[in-house]
Amino acid sequence: MIGFELSEEQQQFQKLARDFAANEIRPVAGQHDESGEWPLAILEKAWELGLMNTKIPASCGGMELSVLDTAIMEEEIGWGCTGIATAITANTLAQVPVVVAGTPEQHQKWLAPMMEAPLMCSYAVTEPGAGSDVAGAKTVAVKKGDKYILNGQKMWITGAGHASWFFVLAKTDADAGHRGMTGFIVPADAPGVTIGKKENNMGQRASDTRGITFEDVEIPEENRLGEEGKGFLIAMKAFDYTRPLVAATCVGLGRAAMEHAIAYAKERNAFGRSIGDFQGVSFMIADMASDIEAARMLVWKSAYEIDQGRRNTLYAAYAKRFAADTCMRVATDAVQVFGGNGFNKEYPVEKLMRDAKIMQIYEGTSQIQRVIIGRELLKG
């Protein structure tokens, strides 16, 4: 028998996140969008409430929540502001490689402290010339004795300016393609690590996006995650956990845009009646609602699959692709419902449209999700 009712605990998680989004995030979202200021005070409150670091194991003092539990909360936080949501959830993407591939000693050294203080970490994989083509990365780590020497550049790294450490993917065998890539934990204050300027992005401006340069950075062997050559698999495995969460924030953004569109369609009059009475508007809202509901179901399915210990790569790609495309389309249509007002910063939907675009790009573009889906289906 299939049921879609949330458990009492999940309803509590949902309410906690919804209240936090309404009372802490929404009131300052516009300010952070305008200034690009890092939302430190909000992050500290989110950490205190347990809205961050949800996948850290219980052995490290973490809540070790399911992906579904986290996704339910992420939708609400995304409803508040996806820029701030990205800042909150950046830790999870960097932490998951350590969770799934780290030793108990690595768990205690790198994950446990994040439950004692509101520390940040970042997932450093993308490079200036290697985004979707991760195997084309140029960063290298050369083994010398009991340490590795790391050289290279990373780009578009979320939270980089505030991270205490990075998960870094580097080539340890330049001739082996993705099988020659290895994962490392790199302290942000290690000699030779240079953090670039905060990028001036179109949307999600509360998030912090920067480049990182590694120049002869010495990494002790104990900071290697898993075996040499397993880094690509570890890095990709992280997406099985985090793509459902990104998709959940897409649902939250889409829901916010739809709510604004409905309210405006009721109050705006044209030709003697509210514009919501016209099929041209009401049909757009009907499509918004249908697609948001479908996206949420894909999020829950993709999260449920990995929580059951099953490989969810296909379902995570379904959810990420559909939810990202949906939130972009819903936000664009919300601007259309607002007409000329929607193009103005005094109204809320132009920010949502700017914030939505990155959803189709980061953590695997919508095109890459289609590649994954096609590959998974064709290989049977």
Side-chain angles (χ1 to χ4, degrees):
M1 182 173 180
I2 297 175
F4 294 98
E5 300 83 7
L6 300 184
S7 68
E8 184 177 344
E9 185 178 45
Q10 288 170 332
Q11 291 178 43
Q12 292 172 350
F13 287 146
Q14 186 182 55
K15 185 178 187 305
L16 174 68
R18 182 172 292 170
D19 290 346
F20 184 78
N23 299 325
E24 304 293 340
I25 297 178
R26 276 268 176 114
V28 298
Q31 168 194 325
H32 283 280
D33 175 66
E34 196 69 30
S35 68
E37 178 188 358
W38 179 249
L40 178 60
I42 296 176
L43 295 177
E44 290 176 342
K45 290 178 182 177
W47 177 80
E48 290 174 2
L49 290 172
L51 295 171
M52 294 176 63
N53 308 322
T54 59
K55 286 305 295 178
I56 288 182
S59 61
C60 299
M63 296 175 68
E64 201 170 344
L65 294 183
S66 70
V67 177
L68 179 56
D69 290 344
T70 306
I72 290 166
M73 294 191 291
E74 287 302 322
E75 178 183 333
E76 303 305 323
I77 295 172
W79 172 87
C81 172
T82 56
I84 293 174
T86 294
I88 289 173
T89 59
N91 271 8
T92 301
L93 181 58
Q95 291 165 354
V96 168
V98 184
V99 172
V100 301
T103 63
E105 291 76 19
Q106 288 172 329
H107 283 187
Q108 291 301 318
K109 182 174 182 179
W110 300 105
L111 299 179
M114 307 196 87
M115 298 307 302
E116 299 168 2
L119 303 174
M120 303 299 296
C121 53
S122 295
Y123 181 91
V125 171
T126 300
E127 298 190 2
S132 297
D133 179 18
V134 176
K138 304 295 184 185
T139 298
V140 297
V142 178
K143 182 78 180 293
K144 289 192 175 180
D146 61 352
K147 63 185 64 174
Y148 292 83
I149 308 300
L150 182 69
N151 283 280
Q153 289 183 303
K154 299 296 180 178
M155 191 59 196
W156 311 119
I157 306 307
T158 301
H162 305 272
S164 58
W165 55 267
F166 307 107
F167 166 73
V168 177
L169 196 61
K171 286 190 172 179
T172 48
D173 184 344
D175 299 322
H178 72 273
R179 293 182 178 85
M181 308 187 84
T182 303
F184 297 92
I185 303 168
V186 181
D189 61 357
V193 176
T194 302
I195 311 298
K197 66 177 179 64
K198 174 180 165 64
E199 297 296 328
N200 188 12
N201 291 334
M202 175 176 73
Q204 296 204 5
R205 292 170 52 77
S207 179
D208 182 87
T209 308
R210 301 176 189 245
I212 311 171
T213 300
F214 303 103
E215 188 172 0
D216 293 331
V217 180
E218 293 188 359
I219 307 300
E221 189 172 10
E222 66 188 37
N223 283 24
R224 189 188 71 212
L225 273 179
E227 301 174 14
E228 279 196 12
K230 300 297 185 183
F232 181 84
L233 295 177
I234 294 169
M236 295 302 103
K237 181 65 176 175
F239 288 139
D240 289 345
Y241 288 83
T242 60
R243 281 175 177 155
L245 305 184
V246 172
T249 62
C250 291
V251 174
L253 187 154
R255 203 180 89 212
M258 180 182 69
E259 289 172 0
H260 287 305
I262 290 172
Y264 190 80
K266 288 180 178 180
E267 69 181 34
R268 176 72 173 188
N269 290 320
F271 306 104
R273 50 182 171 158
S274 68
I275 63 172
D277 288 340
F278 295 95
Q279 285 188 348
V281 173
S282 67
F283 281 13
M284 278 197 289
I285 291 173
D287 287 344
M288 290 179 189
S290 301
D291 288 350
I292 288 168
E293 190 70 19
R296 183 182 293 112
M297 292 299 99
L298 284 172
V299 169
W300 288 10
K301 173 67 173 177
S302 64
Y304 177 81
E305 284 297 309
I306 198 163
D307 287 339
Q308 298 306 306
R310 296 191 285 264
R311 185 171 178 268
N312 76 330
T313 301
L314 176 62
Y315 293 105
Y318 282 155
K320 172 63 167 62
R321 199 290 299 170
F322 187 79
D325 290 351
T326 291
C327 85
M328 186 69 233
R329 184 171 58 254
V330 169
T332 302
D333 284 349
V335 170
Q336 191 71 19
V337 170
F338 274 69
N341 290 337
F343 199 65
N344 188 279
K345 283 183 174 290
E346 295 298 317
Y347 292 83
V349 289
E350 67 85 28
K351 174 187 180 295
L352 296 178
M353 183 174 173
R354 287 187 287 107
D355 286 349
K357 185 57 197 174
I358 191 62
M359 297 299 195
Q360 295 178 302
I361 298 172
Y362 69 2
E363 289 214 25
T365 66
S366 292
Q367 288 71 34
I368 287 296
Q369 302 311 314
R370 289 175 171 86
V371 170
I372 294 169
I373 292 166
R375 181 192 65 207
E376 290 289 312
L377 294 175
L378 290 169
K379 77 178 185 181

